[in-house]
Amino acid sequence: MSFTSNPNLNKSKRFWQAFAFNSFRLLSFLVVAILVVILGFIIINGISVISWEFLTEMPREGMTKGGIFPAIVGTLWLVVGSLLFACPIGILSGIYINEYAKDGWLKRFIKLMTNNLAGVPSIVFGLFGMALFVNKFGFGDSILAGSLTLGLLALPVVIRTTEEALKAIDDSFRIGSLALGASKWQTIWKVILPIALPNIITGIILSVGRVSGETAPILFTVAAYFLPKLPTSIFDQVMALPYHLYVISTSGTNIEASRAMAYGTAFILILIVLLVNLLANWLRRYFGRKVKMN
Amino acid sequence: MYSLESKDLHLYYGDFHALKGITMGMKKNEVTAFIGPSGCGKSTYLRCFNRMNDLIDNVRIDGEVLVDGVDIYQKSILVDDLRTHVGMVFQKPNPFPKSIFENVAYGLRVNGTKDKNLIAERVETSLKQAALWDEVKDKLKKSAFELSGGQQQRLCIARALAIEPSVLLMDEPASALDPISTAKIEELIYQLKENYTIIIVTHNMQQAGRVSDNTAFFYMGELVEYGKTKNIFTSPKDTRTQNYVTGRFG
Amino acid sequence: MKRYFHNFGERLIEGILALSGAVTSLTVLLIVVFLFKEGLGLFSQHPVSEGGVIVVNNQNPVKELSAKQIKEIYDQNITNWKEVGGKNQPIKIFRLEDITDYYPEEQLGANFEYLPQRLSELVSKQPEIIAYFPEQYLSKNFQGHPIELENITLGSFLGGKEWYPTIQPAVQMGVLPLILGTLWVSFGAILIALPLGLAAAIYTAEIADNKVRNTLKPVIELLAGIPSVVYGFFGLVVLVPLIQKVFGLPVGETALAGSIILGIMALPTIISVTDDAMRTTPRAMKEASLALGATKWQTIYKVVIPYSISGISTAAILGIGRAIGETMAVLMVTGNASVIPHTFLEPVRTIPATIAAELGEAPQGGIHFQALFALGCILFLMTLIINVSVDMVSAKKKANR
Ligand SMILES: Nc1ncnc2c1ncn2[C@@H]1O[C@H](COP(=O)(O)OP(=O)(O)O)[C@@H](O)[C@H]1O
Ligand SMILES: [Mg+2]
């Protein structure tokens, strides 16, 4: 039979398949290996640095000793601040694009602009934030200026998340509600948004990871090199984790001596990302199941 | 010896028992029609003969499937060679986004034919066999998507014929076509019978009656009745078959 | 009446939503306005360093010099006035600290109160001199005339090969090395990321079974989530020393280090966009190929890849965009030397890294500050081109269907 095992038949196509698949498998594992190496390296070197003192104390002795408490607090402020700005606008904007805007040039333009904004390099956000919020609006280097800058950066992410969450909802829900005499907004508010909410929240949680790790946008809008006190208002400067890591690994007073602090800070940043991803995945699974069950 | 045969074939999609112990055989140079209501497992069974079900995750198969007496689910089988032997035509025409010529030549190329003259010759023969040559001979370089639905389906048949299989599996090949194209394809099946073992899945009783020698009626994963087409249509033994062929359900 | 208010409420809400929808467009607009307002200001500035003047003797016919010429004169590459359109006489360079070569300290006054006068004297006596000193020492009845500096032109800005934004007496604002540095590092990054990313995408989309796919996906999401400063840190403490050792270099901060880190950072974009694109290949098309005896691999490269080619190009373009705009990681590992790169084993400096490193020190509204905003404009335009071309590729793809 021609189709039984005849090793000589079509040898070359089988050889190429094996060759290609094995190369791809190898390269994919290389990608995994890269992640494992980076995460492993930082976790192994960083975890020993973590202590109660490291998490709750001010940096001391030229940032070679003590802790990173003000940077943690600063990052927290910035995350909360930026999301307070980005979430309402982003969600409303997503609703507008998916539920109200009619197909046509306007919708396409808005989407293109949202994509453009998403593609703007983070350092350009930094420049812009400095020119507008710090200088023009006179906020100075402050939590307010930094949060707004980071918020603009997170905005396209929130918009897209909302849009996708809404798009995934079957039209029958809308038609059903409208048929009962509900207005368009009532339909969205009472029927559509509750269904979309889990996905929107998942997206927002993922953007927490993004916002907490961004450095370039806060360089000139809020981040302080060394400021061993906590902010008292939104017009204060703060330290922030990513900028702190940058500073102590490149330009601290004593780079070698602050290496341990750097590993610890990198570990915390990685930890945030891991937690955020875990939480998002868990939410996805949790709500995914719930929806199925109903 | 049967050209195609299955013995107590069970197939599961995960927990779902889709084929329940099918035993039957089909001879060379005969056309067999598979009929039955939607979802009864006709396509699933058909796709066992060229192991197309391998592509789906979570599929489990018990029992034997034999092609020319060889168990095709044994380890040493090379699936791609099996598929050059057992050709398939799908429900919806699915030409590649390539030229008409390249569509037909595809099977030859992937199976290692390099000789340009040979390829050109085989493309022409296959297109003639599929009764499409006259309509496309002047635009072989044009995209296959420029053809009408009926022409596309005949192109897909030509494509399957080009690698000279000995079996042709056709899964509702005319269901998406207009009556004229359907007639052409039925005519084609009649002619191809000389050289091939053919299975055709169809929803159309008249079609089954016109083209097939034998008919198998499936119901909920079971083979209910199998025999000469005229017997199935005129004197079915099972009431379910009777109900179906007289149009009482399905 | 109630109905009226009801309608009014609906209208109001729609208005608010539309307003929110306009925020991104507005932001893009504002970015353009602010970036370009500041950045274009550069071209109406004299490139003489902040607060300084350059003067020559009154007899000297040279009235105007370019920044480049001044630098050449002070580097003593130009040593005769005739090379810059003056008389045939050697050029005598004067900097403020040279003043004690001409006058003993007591003649300058205890608080340098006589310095302006002495400078005026000196310039009037020396026909060959070119003097650079702070503007505050320019006396009212100065004997000599200041050299006009040509404004920075777009041509000299884009084509200039030297980036010394704070050098005295005349700043050099040539961004060519920065543009080339950016492209060089990004090019290297895509060279690394594309094969790796395509392979991983093909593997996840077409080859791997569900179990492998479900582990690869979170891996890719995590790679995308790691902050760039952490990548930079990793590059700094692991990759840079490694490169230094392997290639026996004086420093490990090189374009190569930047490309590798950026390549890794571009991977998630490339993998997920390619993966999405390949998944849109109709199942029927793949089945048709397999049913003709093609192997899985033949099906992938003859059917799946051609079908998703526009998605794959989108992935590559977006990957490049990601690399071009990346700041912190590059800043930390490329060494930041503003020279035109020739190999991957030299330090280079990219546009984002330049902005990040220098904006903090540039006095606001000054020439350096504006030059950095102009760099921001270049960066913005680069990414805008990328985004618009991605939009066009996907629009074209839709039209083809
Ligand atoms: N990939 C699959 N996964 C799970 N169930 C499937 C799959 N394909 C088909 N089925 C189920 O198997 C049964 C038989 O399907 P099929 O063979 O396509 O029926 P027919 O071709 O007779 O209409 C149906 O109930 C269908 O829902
Ligand atoms: Mg079917």
Side-chain angles (χ1 to χ4, degrees):
Chain A
M1 287 318 316
S2 76
F3 54 86
T4 53
S5 60
N6 174 352
N8 285 326
L9 193 82
N10 279 319
K11 225 166 147 187
S12 94
K13 77 175 181 186
R14 234 152 257 137
F15 167 78
W16 285 115
Q17 158 140 319
F19 178 78
F21 281 19
N22 284 321
S23 324
F24 290 166
R25 189 172 299 125
L26 207 70
L27 289 171
S28 304
F29 288 148
L30 183 60
V31 173
V32 179
I34 289 171
L35 179 80
V36 170
V37 166
I38 295 178
L39 287 186
F41 179 81
I42 285 171
I43 291 174
I44 287 169
N45 285 294
I47 202 158
S48 55
V49 182
I50 306 302
S51 65
W52 187 244
E53 182 202 9
F54 182 74
L55 295 175
T56 58
E57 288 193 5
M58 299 292 164
R60 281 182 281 116
E61 295 172 37
M63 296 190 272
T64 60
K65 294 269 160 49
I68 55 168
F69 187 52
I72 294 176
V73 172
T75 290
L76 211 63
W77 272 90
L78 292 174
V79 167
V80 171
S82 57
L83 291 185
L84 276 182
F85 170 73
C87 288
I89 297 185
I91 292 173
L92 292 179
S93 176
I95 293 174
Y96 179 74
I97 293 172
N98 199 64
E99 306 287 328
Y100 283 85
K102 296 187 181 64
D103 283 322
W105 69 268
L106 182 66
K107 184 170 172 179
R108 207 175 149 219
F109 179 78
I110 293 179
K111 288 185 97 162
L112 179 65
M113 282 304 173
T114 309
N115 283 345
N116 276 335
L117 196 62
V120 168
S122 54
I123 187 72
V124 173
F125 277 100
L127 278 177
F128 174 64
M130 181 193 198
L132 184 69
F133 303 125
V134 175
N135 293 342
K136 184 93 184 166
F137 291 172
F139 297 155
D141 279 4
S142 62
I143 293 176
L144 183 59
S147 298
L148 288 173
T149 309
L150 285 172
L152 285 180
L153 184 122
L155 192 56
V157 186
V158 179
I159 294 178
R160 273 192 206 159
T161 306
T162 308
E163 230 188 292
E164 258 151 46
L166 293 173
K167 213 185 283 171
I169 296 173
D170 202 88
D171 261 343
S172 62
F173 287 100
R174 296 184 180 86
I175 295 165
S177 167
L178 290 171
L180 290 173
S183 71
K184 191 160 184 174
W185 176 248
Q186 285 171 327
T187 302
I188 292 168
W189 185 246
K190 297 232 170 82
V191 181
I192 305 299
L193 268 185
I195 303 176
L197 210 55
N199 281 332
I200 297 178
I201 290 175
T202 309
I204 289 172
I205 287 173
L206 283 174
S207 66
V208 167
R210 170 104 201 260
V211 166
S212 59
E214 278 290 347
T215 317
I218 59 172
L219 279 178
F220 318 113
T221 53
V222 51
Y225 181 86
F226 176 66
L227 189 70
K229 68 183 183 65
L230 300 183
T232 53
S233 86
I234 54 168
F235 293 102
D236 285 350
Q237 256 188 300
V238 283
M239 294 178 78
L241 287 169
Y243 184 59
H244 185 65
L245 174 58
Y246 168 65
V247 164
I248 56 178
S249 58
T250 59
S251 60
T253 43
N254 185 344
I255 294 178
E256 280 313 311
S258 46
R259 228 349 87 83
M261 297 280 106
Y263 281 123
T265 312
F267 176 80
I268 298 291
L269 279 167
I270 291 280
L271 193 68
I272 294 175
V273 171
L274 283 174
L275 288 180
V276 154
N277 274 277
L278 275 179
L279 187 61
N281 278 333
W282 179 81
L283 271 177
R284 256 180 227 152
R285 235 172 305 134
Y286 178 76
F287 284 114
R289 196 168 299 147
K290 219 172 124 185
V291 167
K292 246 183 232 154
M293 258 163 32
N294 286 352
Chain B
M1 188 178 70
Y2 289 119
S3 167
L4 302 172
E5 192 179 1
S6 73
K7 292 181 184 163
D8 194 28
L9 178 69
H10 292 265
L11 184 144
Y12 305 83
Y13 290 114
D15 297 335
F16 179 65
H17 198 170
L19 295 179
K20 301 169 185 165
I22 308 233
T23 303
M24 68 185 282
M26 285 140 275
K27 292 207 191 89
K28 193 151 181 71
N29 303 337
E30 286 188 351
V31 177
T32 307
F34 288 178
I35 60 170
S38 279
C40 66
K42 305 179 297 288
S43 300
T44 302
Y45 183 51
L46 190 75
R47 292 158 65 94
C48 286
F49 289 103
N50 65 347
R51 291 187 51 176
M52 225 48 185
N53 292 321
D54 290 14
L55 305 177
I56 299 162
D57 297 322
N58 289 328
V59 168
R60 211 178 79 240
I61 287 175
D62 282 337
E64 269 182 89
V65 181
L66 308 172
V67 173
D68 292 336
V70 178
D71 178 358
I72 58 166
Y73 279 89
Q74 60 183 310
K75 269 234 163 70
S76 60
I77 291 294
L78 300 167
V79 193
D80 37 330
D81 283 341
L82 166 70
R83 290 176 187 152
T84 61
H85 189 73
V86 182
M88 182 160 200
V89 177
F90 298 81
Q91 180 167 3
K92 270 209 208 119
N94 53 355
F96 301 119
K98 299 174 188 285
S99 71
I100 293 170
F101 185 91
E102 283 306 320
N103 261 281
V104 185
Y106 186 91
L108 297 167
R109 292 198 199 281
V110 295
N111 287 297
T113 309
K114 298 245 158 55
D115 184 344
K116 281 205 177 111
N117 295 330
L118 181 61
I119 291 177
E121 203 177 290
R122 288 277 270 290
V123 169
E124 181 174 339
T125 330
S126 322
L127 283 170
K128 278 179 177 155
Q129 272 182 298
L132 191 59
W133 176 251
D134 291 328
E135 291 159 60
V136 301
K137 63 172 182 256
D138 301 322
K139 46 178 181 179
L140 291 173
K141 290 227 167 64
K142 289 265 169 63
S143 163
F145 289 149
E146 288 180 20
L147 299 176
S148 72
Q151 288 174 320
Q152 284 187 11
Q153 191 63 306
R154 276 178 282 146
L155 180 70
C156 290
I157 293 174
R159 186 172 69 179
L161 296 178
I163 50 172
E164 300 181 315
S166 61
V167 177
L168 209 53
L169 310 174
M170 304 175 114
D171 194 349
E172 304 188 34
S175 68
L177 304 182
D178 59 280
I180 295 174
S181 302
T182 303
K184 279 197 174 148
I185 284 176
E186 285 177 10
E187 167 77 28
L188 196 61
I189 291 170
Y190 193 76
Q191 286 168 7
L192 291 173
K193 191 163 101 169
E194 272 180 48
N195 302 309
Y196 295 86
T197 313
I198 296 178
I199 303 181
I200 174 168
V201 177
T202 179
H203 268 288
N204 180 329
M205 295 307 120
Q206 284 82 20
Q207 185 170 62
R210 284 192 299 266
V211 299
S212 69
D213 304 298
N214 306 305
T215 294
F217 172 65
F218 291 84
Y219 187 67
M220 299 192 46
E222 281 174 61
L223 173 63
V224 174
E225 199 167 347
Y226 176 39
K228 290 265 166 254
T229 296
K230 60 173 190 294
N231 295 342
I232 294 278
F233 279 93
T234 54
S235 51
K237 297 196 186 73
D238 195 291
T239 50
R240 288 171 294 180
T241 317
Q242 184 164 24
N243 288 341
Y244 186 73
V245 297
T246 52
R248 242 167 262 162
F249 70 90
Chain C
M1 199 62 191
K2 196 177 158 211
R3 196 181 172 79
Y4 175 79
F5 276 114
H6 187 80
N7 276 341
F8 180 75
E10 285 282 320
R11 280 287 167 79
L12 189 71
I13 286 163
E14 187 169 350
I16 292 170
L17 291 173
L19 224 54
S20 307
V23 168
T24 50
S25 313
L26 187 71
T27 308
V28 173
L29 188 77
L30 282 176
I31 289 179
V32 172
V33 168
F34 275 87
L35 240 51
F36 282 78
K37 200 184 92 200
E38 233 15 283
L40 292 177
L42 176 69
F43 302 112
S44 57
Q45 292 256 20
H46 301 300
V48 64
S49 307
E50 217 69 30
V53 283
I54 298 167
V55 291
V56 294
N57 185 281
N58 266 334
Q59 253 82 65
N60 197 326
V62 178
K63 294 264 184 313
E64 201 179 54
L65 288 171
S66 71
K68 176 106 190 138
Q69 286 169 324
I70 301 230
K71 178 167 183 291
E72 295 285 299
I73 290 172
Y74 272 79
D75 287 350
Q76 304 192 348
N77 292 328
I78 295 177
T79 52
N80 195 306
W81 281 110
K82 83 174 175 212
E83 290 174 65
V84 291
K87 297 180 198 155
N88 185 6
Q89 54 191 20
I91 300 176
K92 187 171 216 151
I93 302 168
F94 175 84
R95 293 185 180 88
L96 191 59
E97 57 267 30
D98 302 332
I99 190 79
T100 46
D101 297 351
Y102 299 93
Y103 300 98
E105 280 188 30
E106 52 275 21
Q107 290 191 26
L108 301 175
N111 296 316
F112 299 105
E113 60 268 28
Y114 305 129
L115 187 56
Q117 197 183 326
R118 296 283 170 265
L119 285 169
S120 174
E121 237 173 76
L122 180 68
V123 172
S124 67
K125 272 193 257 166
Q126 304 262 353
E128 301 156 3
I129 203 167
I130 178 164
Y132 169 74
F133 51 83
E135 212 168 354
Q136 63 190 99
Y137 298 129
L138 194 69
S139 61
K140 288 216 179 64
N141 48 355
F142 188 80
Q143 297 293 309
H145 68 258
I147 289 283
E148 292 285 320
L149 255 75
E150 289 163 10
N151 281 354
I152 295 176
T153 61
L154 188 62
S156 73
F157 183 64
L158 292 179
K161 295 198 181 72
E162 297 190 339
W163 176 261
Y164 296 114
T166 55
I167 199 179
Q168 290 177 341
V171 296
Q172 303 297 310
M173 300 282 188
V175 296
L176 199 59
L178 309 182
I179 294 179
L180 292 179
T182 307
L183 295 178
W184 191 238
V185 174
S186 307
F187 172 71
I190 213 70
L191 230 49
I192 293 166
L194 209 51
L196 210 56
L198 287 188
I202 291 173
Y203 188 72
T204 39
E206 297 292 333
I207 305 171
D209 54 35
N210 268 336
K211 228 167 80 194
V212 178
R213 188 177 305 148
N214 290 341
T215 47
L216 274 170
K217 274 218 122 134
V219 163
I220 291 155
E221 246 175 40
L222 271 181
L223 270 178
I226 297 176
S228 64
V229 64
V230 173
Y231 278 112
F233 178 65
F234 177 81
L236 194 65
V237 291
V238 177
L239 196 59
V240 165
L242 190 70
I243 288 177
Q244 184 181 5
K245 214 191 266 156
V246 169
F247 296 98
L249 302 171
V251 288
E253 277 104 345
T254 50
L256 181 63
S259 292
I260 293 176
I261 290 293
L262 282 184
I264 296 173
M265 294 177 73
L267 274 178
T269 311
I270 293 181
I271 295 175
S272 61
V273 177
T274 306
D275 181 79
D276 283 349
M278 293 205 295
R279 266 164 210 283
T280 61
T281 313
R283 193 191 171 82
M285 211 93 96
K286 287 194 263 180
E287 285 190 343
S289 169
L290 292 167
L292 290 166
T295 59
K296 244 180 162 180
W297 169 234
Q298 286 175 320
T299 304
I300 292 170
Y301 85 80
K302 280 176 176 262
V303 177
V304 178
I305 293 180
Y307 191 87
S308 45
I309 194 69
S310 74
I312 295 172
S313 6
T314 304
I317 300 174
L318 285 174
I320 293 175
R322 178 96 210 260
I324 285 180
E326 177 48 45
T327 312
M328 299 316 289
V330 200
L331 179 63
M332 292 165 85
V333 302
T334 54
N336 300 317
S338 56
V339 288
I340 292 177
H342 297 285
T343 72
F344 277 108
L345 296 177
E346 295 167 69
V348 291
R349 158 175 277 217
T350 67
I351 294 176
T354 306
I355 300 173
E358 295 178 3
L359 190 66
E361 294 143 28
Q364 229 174 79
I367 186 168
H368 187 192
F369 186 82
Q370 291 179 328
L372 294 175
F373 269 83
L375 283 182
C377 297
I378 294 177
L379 198 59
F380 178 79
L381 288 178
M382 280 177 164
T383 48
L384 190 73
I385 289 170
I386 282 171
N387 285 315
V388 172
S389 51
V390 163
D391 189 67
M392 269 160 33
V393 168
S394 52
K396 196 171 153 204
K397 187 175 152 197
K398 266 186 210 132
N400 280 350
R401 294 269 165 87

mmCIF file of all heavy atoms in Angstrom, chain B residues 13 16 18 37-44 56, ligand 1:
data_model
loop_
_atom_site.group_PDB
_atom_site.id
_atom_site.type_symbol
_atom_site.label_atom_id
_atom_site.label_comp_id
_atom_site.label_asym_id
_atom_site.label_seq_id
_atom_site.Cartn_x
_atom_site.Cartn_y
_atom_site.Cartn_z
ATOM 1 N N TYR B 13 -16.433 12.582 20.877
ATOM 2 C CA TYR B 13 -15.913 13.963 21.015
ATOM 3 C C TYR B 13 -15.944 14.259 22.502
ATOM 4 O O TYR B 13 -16.998 14.623 23.033
ATOM 5 C CB TYR B 13 -16.817 14.963 20.306
ATOM 6 C CG TYR B 13 -16.811 14.895 18.795
ATOM 7 C CD1 TYR B 13 -17.947 14.517 18.097
ATOM 8 C CD2 TYR B 13 -15.679 15.247 18.070
ATOM 9 C CE1 TYR B 13 -17.960 14.475 16.719
ATOM 10 C CE2 TYR B 13 -15.687 15.213 16.686
ATOM 11 C CZ TYR B 13 -16.830 14.820 16.006
ATOM 12 O OH TYR B 13 -16.835 14.796 14.647
ATOM 13 N N PHE B 16 -18.968 13.014 24.417
ATOM 14 C CA PHE B 16 -20.086 12.798 23.509
ATOM 15 C C PHE B 16 -19.819 11.619 22.575
ATOM 16 O O PHE B 16 -18.828 11.600 21.838
ATOM 17 C CB PHE B 16 -20.340 14.078 22.706
ATOM 18 C CG PHE B 16 -21.470 13.953 21.726
ATOM 19 C CD1 PHE B 16 -22.768 13.763 22.173
ATOM 20 C CD2 PHE B 16 -21.231 14.010 20.356
ATOM 21 C CE1 PHE B 16 -23.808 13.642 21.265
ATOM 22 C CE2 PHE B 16 -22.263 13.890 19.447
ATOM 23 C CZ PHE B 16 -23.562 13.700 19.907
ATOM 24 N N ALA B 18 -20.338 10.011 19.467
ATOM 25 C CA ALA B 18 -20.875 10.475 18.189
ATOM 26 C C ALA B 18 -21.106 9.340 17.194
ATOM 27 O O ALA B 18 -22.013 9.411 16.376
ATOM 28 C CB ALA B 18 -19.940 11.517 17.571
ATOM 29 N N PRO B 37 -30.575 12.614 9.253
ATOM 30 C CA PRO B 37 -30.797 13.986 9.708
ATOM 31 C C PRO B 37 -29.500 14.656 10.163
ATOM 32 O O PRO B 37 -28.542 13.975 10.502
ATOM 33 C CB PRO B 37 -31.762 13.828 10.878
ATOM 34 C CG PRO B 37 -31.661 12.404 11.292
ATOM 35 C CD PRO B 37 -31.271 11.621 10.097
ATOM 36 N N SER B 38 -29.498 15.964 10.184
ATOM 37 C CA SER B 38 -28.319 16.723 10.618
ATOM 38 C C SER B 38 -27.856 16.269 11.985
ATOM 39 O O SER B 38 -28.674 16.032 12.861
ATOM 40 C CB SER B 38 -28.660 18.202 10.719
ATOM 41 O OG SER B 38 -28.606 18.768 9.465
ATOM 42 N N GLY B 39 -26.557 16.167 12.125
ATOM 43 C CA GLY B 39 -26.004 15.836 13.431
ATOM 44 C C GLY B 39 -26.016 14.354 13.734
ATOM 45 O O GLY B 39 -25.690 13.954 14.850
ATOM 46 N N CYS B 40 -26.343 13.523 12.767
ATOM 47 C CA CYS B 40 -26.410 12.088 13.046
ATOM 48 C C CYS B 40 -25.036 11.435 12.918
ATOM 49 O O CYS B 40 -24.877 10.280 13.269
ATOM 50 C CB CYS B 40 -27.407 11.415 12.120
ATOM 51 S SG CYS B 40 -26.886 11.441 10.396
ATOM 52 N N GLY B 41 -24.049 12.154 12.417
ATOM 53 C CA GLY B 41 -22.693 11.610 12.391
ATOM 54 C C GLY B 41 -22.168 11.256 11.006
ATOM 55 O O GLY B 41 -21.139 10.621 10.885
ATOM 56 N N LYS B 42 -22.856 11.710 9.957
ATOM 57 C CA LYS B 42 -22.419 11.374 8.602
ATOM 58 C C LYS B 42 -21.021 11.930 8.319
ATOM 59 O O LYS B 42 -20.131 11.199 7.881
ATOM 60 C CB LYS B 42 -23.399 11.949 7.560
ATOM 61 C CG LYS B 42 -24.845 11.532 7.748
ATOM 62 C CD LYS B 42 -25.747 12.156 6.717
ATOM 63 C CE LYS B 42 -25.829 13.675 6.766
ATOM 64 N NZ LYS B 42 -26.573 14.233 7.901
ATOM 65 N N SER B 43 -20.863 13.221 8.582
ATOM 66 C CA SER B 43 -19.563 13.837 8.304
ATOM 67 C C SER B 43 -18.493 13.215 9.188
ATOM 68 O O SER B 43 -17.379 12.933 8.729
ATOM 69 C CB SER B 43 -19.607 15.342 8.572
ATOM 70 O OG SER B 43 -20.570 15.950 7.763
ATOM 71 N N THR B 44 -18.833 13.005 10.422
ATOM 72 C CA THR B 44 -17.876 12.424 11.352
ATOM 73 C C THR B 44 -17.386 11.075 10.833
ATOM 74 O O THR B 44 -16.191 10.794 10.812
ATOM 75 C CB THR B 44 -18.532 12.257 12.734
ATOM 76 O OG1 THR B 44 -18.987 13.523 13.182
ATOM 77 C CG2 THR B 44 -17.552 11.680 13.732
ATOM 78 N N ILE B 56 -9.076 17.406 15.393
ATOM 79 C CA ILE B 56 -9.894 17.937 16.485
ATOM 80 C C ILE B 56 -9.360 17.412 17.815
ATOM 81 O O ILE B 56 -9.040 16.230 17.949
ATOM 82 C CB ILE B 56 -11.366 17.522 16.276
ATOM 83 C CG1 ILE B 56 -11.861 18.116 14.959
ATOM 84 C CG2 ILE B 56 -12.234 17.970 17.430
ATOM 85 C CD1 ILE B 56 -13.107 17.455 14.442
HETATM 86 N N1 LIG D 1 -15.609 19.074 16.717
HETATM 87 C C1 LIG D 1 -16.667 18.588 17.377
HETATM 88 N N2 LIG D 1 -16.680 18.618 18.729
HETATM 89 C C2 LIG D 1 -17.741 18.128 19.397
HETATM 90 N N3 LIG D 1 -18.816 17.639 18.846
HETATM 91 C C3 LIG D 1 -18.884 17.581 17.497
HETATM 92 C C4 LIG D 1 -17.802 18.074 16.697
HETATM 93 N N4 LIG D 1 -18.122 17.907 15.414
HETATM 94 C C5 LIG D 1 -19.368 17.335 15.396
HETATM 95 N N5 LIG D 1 -19.804 17.154 16.654
HETATM 96 C C6 LIG D 1 -21.081 16.531 17.033
HETATM 97 O O1 LIG D 1 -21.138 15.232 16.527
HETATM 98 C C7 LIG D 1 -22.403 14.959 15.987
HETATM 99 C C8 LIG D 1 -22.272 14.539 14.554
HETATM 100 O O2 LIG D 1 -21.871 15.625 13.768
HETATM 101 P P1 LIG D 1 -21.665 15.536 12.197
HETATM 102 O O3 LIG D 1 -20.871 14.334 11.909
HETATM 103 O O4 LIG D 1 -21.124 16.822 11.727
HETATM 104 O O5 LIG D 1 -23.164 15.360 11.698
HETATM 105 P P2 LIG D 1 -23.756 15.399 10.238
HETATM 106 O O6 LIG D 1 -22.653 15.554 9.277
HETATM 107 O O7 LIG D 1 -24.477 14.098 10.119
HETATM 108 O O8 LIG D 1 -24.731 16.525 10.193
HETATM 109 C C9 LIG D 1 -23.243 16.215 16.150
HETATM 110 O O9 LIG D 1 -24.062 16.049 17.275
HETATM 111 C C10 LIG D 1 -22.222 17.290 16.401
HETATM 112 O O10 LIG D 1 -22.747 18.249 17.290
#
